[in-house]
Amino acid sequence: MTQTTETEPFEAEAVFQRGLTLSEQGEYEAAIAHFDHILQFQPEHGNAWNEKGNALITLNRHAEALTSFEHAIQFSAASPSTHYSLGWAASVLGQHERAIASFEQVLALQADFPNAHYSLGLALYMTGQYKAAIAHLHTALEQQPTFADAWYSQGLALYATGRYESAIKHFNQVLELQPDYQVAFSGRGAALMGLGDYEAAIVSYDKALGLNPDDAESWYQWAMCLKRSGRYKDAILGYDKAFMLQPNHAAAFGRGCCWLKLGHYDDAIASYERALEYQPNHYESWFNRGVALKQLERFAEAADSYDHAIALRPNDPKARNNLGSILLSLERVDEAIACYDKVLALNPDDELAQKNRTVALRRSQPVRDNKAYANLGALNQKSDS
């Protein structure tokens, strides 16, 4: 009797069915082992590749799942569900262009495949193709008018194109369908911010934070609304909370701008320095740090801060104008004049640089000790905050 070296057809089917049962029972690792056993002897078994991919997705092993679906498609190219699964795995892995191709293939094979228009719209949104995304999400909503995720995604795409009022309507529709859809409150808040309705945005973010107090982005946006409303002390609380949950440059910078507005210059400097730890090449942080240091008459440090800002934006006149003012305070008059000359070389009509250069030239003359000129000082560009 010779030993059988490959699985008989009926035996392979039994192993496959056992693998399906294990998947349904949540025994995904065991199910994968069964599918692998089949594929060891029948590598052309498309269904085994497909079900293995499904089990791998459930285990969040998306890269392996993608490979499985690629194998499955070799043997079942006409299966829309396999193309859809491949597209979904690609989306999760951030391979959005590949996902788009897969979802388009799904629709070519079956125009009414469930969620295909939604998934394609989402992938298009992720690649910045907002107009196309809106079209597919619209179709998805025609097919499923109560699909909250599609309403939300459509709202995001509308927001991205600056259609804030329409975005708000979509987010409101999400909340009618699902009142605890937390990110819809955040999305609506962002759209209201886009319209300049900061008080309404604050209310929306309050509701988002009521559902998820650990949402760092909503705390940050909530603080932005308060800052733009001139409520700087309250905004600082929001920036602090956002930074505590997710330390980053943006929250530290926003906090610094509020402290600067309140005249708490030491606190502003500390915040800008923390922001620069996360983003050392942030022009506005160096610039505003210079503004705060000047207010404390820490001129040498302010000059260094403006030097960093200028290195990042050599053609921006603001930092050069303010640096010139600092150099005058340090009695480095010739350097101040050279600073203003550089501004005027870029823009001969810069009135601020013209005025400051006139002041500097007077300071460079012997008459600078005259009381008539003793109190002359260079004008400053306003800070970015």
Side-chain angles (χ1 to χ4, degrees):
M1 174 184 257
T2 59
Q3 185 177 1
T4 302
T5 58
E6 58 182 44
T7 305
E8 297 293 337
F10 70 89
E11 187 179 336
E13 181 60 23
V15 174
F16 179 73
Q17 291 300 325
R18 177 57 180 160
L20 288 178
T21 300
L22 288 166
S23 281
E24 292 171 358
Q25 294 173 345
E27 299 289 338
Y28 301 112
E29 293 287 1
I32 291 168
H34 279 65
F35 299 135
D36 280 339
H37 180 69
I38 296 170
L39 294 168
Q40 181 180 358
F41 298 101
Q42 295 186 10
E44 74 286 357
H45 198 300
N47 287 336
W49 282 116
N50 188 61
E51 292 303 331
K52 177 184 176 181
N54 289 333
L56 287 164
I57 278 187
T58 306
L59 294 173
N60 294 320
R61 291 159 60 181
H62 296 99
E64 296 172 75
L66 187 66
T67 300
S68 285
F69 293 132
E70 288 172 338
H71 283 293
I73 285 172
Q74 292 179 20
F75 308 107
S76 52
S79 168
S81 62
T82 304
H83 284 282
Y84 184 83
S85 296
L86 190 151
W88 187 250
S91 290
V92 174
L93 292 169
Q95 299 178 24
H96 301 299
E97 293 291 352
R98 190 172 189 185
I100 289 168
S102 292
F103 295 136
E104 287 176 340
Q105 184 61 34
V106 172
L107 291 169
L109 291 167
Q110 184 179 332
D112 62 348
F113 190 89
N115 293 340
H117 281 287
Y118 165 72
S119 297
L120 177 55
L122 200 57
L124 288 163
Y125 169 80
M126 295 301 294
T127 58
Q129 300 178 66
Y130 303 124
K131 185 176 180 180
I134 289 168
H136 282 284
L137 291 166
H138 179 75
T139 302
L141 288 169
E142 287 182 330
Q143 294 174 343
Q144 294 177 268
T146 60
F147 191 1
D149 287 345
W151 282 105
Y152 175 71
S153 298
Q154 180 88 308
L156 290 179
L158 290 163
Y159 172 82
T161 59
R163 296 160 64 181
Y164 301 127
E165 291 181 350
S166 293
I168 290 166
K169 291 178 182 177
H170 279 67
F171 295 133
N172 284 338
Q173 183 62 37
V174 175
L175 294 167
E176 285 186 21
L177 294 167
Q178 195 171 323
D180 61 348
Y181 203 117
Q182 190 262 349
V183 290
F185 283 112
S186 297
R188 187 177 68 183
L192 288 163
M193 279 184 70
L195 292 173
D197 192 348
Y198 300 123
E199 292 304 322
I202 289 167
V203 172
S204 202
Y205 283 121
D206 280 337
K207 291 182 177 180
L209 291 166
L211 291 168
N212 181 11
D214 295 328
D215 182 355
E217 181 62 22
S218 287
W219 278 111
Y220 174 76
Q221 297 296 338
W222 180 82
M224 285 277 289
C225 291
L226 290 163
K227 172 176 163 287
R228 292 179 182 179
S229 301
R231 295 161 59 183
Y232 301 118
K233 289 184 179 179
D234 291 334
I236 288 168
L237 297 175
Y239 286 128
D240 282 342
K241 186 69 174 178
F243 189 87
M244 181 185 71
L245 291 167
Q246 187 176 318
N248 60 37
H249 154 266
F253 176 75
R255 182 176 59 195
C257 292
C258 291
W259 284 125
L260 190 64
K261 289 289 189 181
L262 292 169
H264 291 226
Y265 301 119
D266 283 316
D267 291 320
I269 291 164
S271 290
Y272 291 132
E273 289 176 350
R274 179 56 65 89
L276 289 165
E277 291 177 11
Y278 291 92
Q279 193 170 328
N281 293 329
H282 188 245
Y283 170 87
E284 287 79 6
S285 292
W286 286 112
F287 183 95
N288 286 5
R289 179 176 177 270
V291 172
L293 287 162
K294 180 182 183 296
Q295 293 298 321
L296 296 175
E297 299 187 354
R298 292 161 59 180
F299 298 124
E301 294 171 84
D304 178 72
S305 208
Y306 287 128
D307 280 336
H308 278 88
I310 290 167
L312 294 167
R313 293 188 191 171
N315 295 333
D316 192 317
K318 295 189 298 181
R320 288 193 187 276
N321 272 318
N322 282 14
L323 176 59
S325 171
I326 296 297
L327 292 169
L328 283 181
S329 297
L330 293 169
E331 300 297 333
R332 292 159 59 181
V333 180
D334 290 340
E335 292 176 69
I337 293 170
C339 203
Y340 299 132
D341 284 342
K342 288 179 181 178
V343 175
L344 293 169
L346 294 167
N347 179 15
D349 298 324
D350 191 306
E351 293 183 4
L352 186 60
Q354 291 172 351
K355 292 177 182 178
N356 285 349
R357 188 176 187 278
T358 299
V359 170
L361 285 171
R362 289 173 177 170
R363 291 277 295 273
S364 71
Q365 302 301 318
V367 294
R368 62 189 176 193
D369 295 324
N370 188 290
K371 289 183 179 180
Y373 299 99
N375 295 321
L376 282 173
L379 301 173
N380 273 310
Q381 183 80 34
K382 290 183 180 179
S383 68
D384 283 345
S385 57

